[in-house]
Amino acid sequence: QVHLVESGGGLVQPGGSLKLSCSASGTTVAFITMNWYRQAPGKQRELLGLILSGGSTRYEDSVRSRTNNSKDNSKNTVNLQKNSLKPVDTAVYYCNYRNHRKDYWGQGTQVTVSS
């Protein structure tokens, strides 16, 4: 059974940075594609980007310049670095893994950008 746990969220001032982490069990992050989503209050969940098994990354245009996705294979963790945060980045951030059987989600981590 795959289990994903996000961490690293919190309250940050505009212009600040956060590193979000997604710790996985039941799978090996080095061999999978991990997606990152966020859901702002009153809005639909949106895809931010993904990191492929080989470490290549893809990002949505709206966050490309302020986002960096990486894998720490020694900790079986995927990290999402968010820089130059804006109030519109306030949301719950989720990691997501899909295989042929199921769609796995973590519980999410809240990011609030406010002065």
Side-chain angles (χ1 to χ4, degrees), residues 6-82:
E6 299 94 338
S7 62
L11 174 64
V12 62
Q13 291 190 340
S17 299
L18 280 176
K19 186 176 82 170
L20 308 182
S21 296
C22 174
S23 179
S25 59
T27 190
T28 303
V29 299
F31 303 141
I32 66 170
T33 295
M34 189 73 81
N35 307 300
W36 282 95
Y37 287 78
R38 69 182 178 189
Q39 188 166 18
K43 295 190 176 181
Q44 288 191 333
R45 197 168 292 190
E46 63 172 338
L47 177 66
L48 297 176
L50 55 89
I51 183 165
L52 301 171
S53 57
S56 297
T57 55
R58 305 284 188 271
Y59 302 105
E60 292 299 303
D61 289 343
S62 60
V63 299
R64 184 187 311 276
S65 64
R66 303 183 293 118
T67 303
N68 186 48
N69 212 347
S70 62
K71 290 185 179 180
D72 186 341
N73 295 332
S74 67
K75 296 181 180 178
N76 209 35
T77 295
V78 176
N79 298 312
L80 186 74
Q81 179 73 34
K82 293 288 297 177

Side-chain angles (χ1 to χ4, degrees), residues 2 32 97-104:
V2 175
I32 66 170
Y97 163 59
R98 298 187 182 96
N99 62 20
H100 62 283
R101 284 192 295 267
K102 196 172 175 181
D103 208 359
Y104 298 95

